[in-house]
Amino acid sequence: MFYFVYILENEKNEIYIGYTANLNKRLKEHNQKQNFSTKYKGPWHLIYYEACISQKDAERREVYLKTSQGSRLLKLRLREYLNRKIS
């Protein structure tokens, strides 16, 4: 089984970071307003994900990506996507 760390974005360019074992199901839940944190901010679309073999690794990665250092890494990793949106 794999665990996925994922990043969602909404129309207001707000970002949500989470992890799950079922990425498709989780995205549907976000867009069907079944998640308290994203309930009033959708619709959401997937812009990035990583796969981990261990749930603990996925949890650790999610926490890291929510730090300022993790945010800098994401901006570098998603540079082309983010630049395309600005242009």
Side-chain angles (χ1 to χ4, degrees), residues 43-59:
W44 296 94
H45 62 275
L46 182 67
I47 62 170
Y48 182 80
Y49 70 92
E50 299 176 359
C52 300
I53 294 174
S54 160
Q55 181 178 357
K56 291 242 184 242
D57 287 340
E59 290 173 1

Side-chain angles (χ1 to χ4, degrees), residues 16-31:
Y16 178 83
I17 301 170
Y19 84 94
T20 185
N22 188 329
L23 193 54
N24 290 326
K25 178 182 174 190
R26 191 71 177 127
L27 181 58
K28 285 179 186 176
E29 290 172 355
H30 282 292
N31 283 319

Side-chain angles (χ1 to χ4, degrees), residues 9-20:
E9 183 181 48
N10 67 9
E11 295 169 347
K12 296 178 184 175
N13 298 322
E14 296 173 309
I15 298 292
Y16 178 83
I17 301 170
Y19 84 94
T20 185

